[in-house]
Amino acid sequence: MTGVQAYVAGEGDGVPCRTPGTGDGAPGADGLTHRAARQAKPGSAAADPPEQGERLHKELAELRAALATQPVIDLAGGIVMAVAGCTPREAWEVLVDVSQHTNVKLRDVCGHLVDGVAGPPPPPRERLALGAALRRLAERTAAVDSAGQ
């Protein structure tokens, strides 16, 4: 175990053990002490370190993917804001609308839009959906503006 070791007072020396129940005093692979090893519930993270490791690896991969795609999503939102003169929330709604109407992942829609700034334009289906989403936004904005006057 790296970093902080958990010490549990009680049974004998109360220090973590290499293998739960051996009492050799060295930290175990799972970092459990004698008492914690005995009290771990079946199916819990403490009882199933391999499952916990798999879960943590999956979560880490998802977080890395989110970090990699977030700048592209932010850029695409900025493009929509510049084109439509809308708020960040409205830009997000437009991008989600395009994603849902084309059945294309949001990160891919955003990537196509950002790539289209200096490269090939987004696929025709996405361009049509973007145009429709921007028209719906303009209609909503016009309706709110006229209701407020």
Side-chain angles (χ1 to χ4, degrees), residues 3-76:
V4 179
Q5 295 181 347
Y7 289 93
V8 176
E11 180 179 320
D13 54 12
V15 297
C17 59
R18 188 175 320 282
T19 306
T22 63
D24 63 7
D30 57 7
L32 296 176
T33 62
H34 303 285
R35 177 185 289 171
R38 284 195 326 272
Q39 293 174 347
K41 296 177 182 171
S44 71
D48 298 326
E51 288 179 13
Q52 179 186 22
E54 291 172 18
R55 181 184 56 78
L56 290 174
H57 282 292
K58 181 180 178 186
E59 183 178 348
L60 180 61
E62 290 171 356
L63 289 172
R64 285 181 175 162
L67 283 173
T69 59
Q70 190 61 46
V72 174
I73 293 171
D74 290 343
L75 284 170

Side-chain angles (χ1 to χ4, degrees), residues 90 131-147:
E90 292 168 330
L134 290 171
R135 282 190 296 280
R136 286 189 290 275
L137 173 64
E139 290 168 3
R140 285 193 310 266
T141 303
V144 169
D145 288 345
S146 66

Side-chain angles (χ1 to χ4, degrees), residues 114-140:
V114 170
D115 290 345
V117 170
R125 186 171 175 212
E126 290 176 33
R127 286 197 318 263
L128 291 172
L130 179 60
L134 290 171
R135 282 190 296 280
R136 286 189 290 275
L137 173 64
E139 290 168 3
R140 285 193 310 266

Side-chain angles (χ1 to χ4, degrees), residues 43-124:
S44 71
D48 298 326
E51 288 179 13
Q52 179 186 22
E54 291 172 18
R55 181 184 56 78
L56 290 174
H57 282 292
K58 181 180 178 186
E59 183 178 348
L60 180 61
E62 290 171 356
L63 289 172
R64 285 181 175 162
L67 283 173
T69 59
Q70 190 61 46
V72 174
I73 293 171
D74 290 343
L75 284 170
I79 292 168
V80 172
M81 289 169 50
V83 168
C86 62
T87 67
R89 181 179 177 92
E90 292 168 330
W92 171 259
E93 291 170 358
V94 165
L95 293 169
V96 169
D97 188 338
V98 172
S99 174
Q100 290 176 343
H101 280 86
T102 59
N103 199 27
V104 176
K105 290 186 181 284
L106 179 67
R107 67 175 178 253
D108 294 336
V109 167
C110 293
H112 296 150
L113 185 60
V114 170
D115 290 345
V117 170

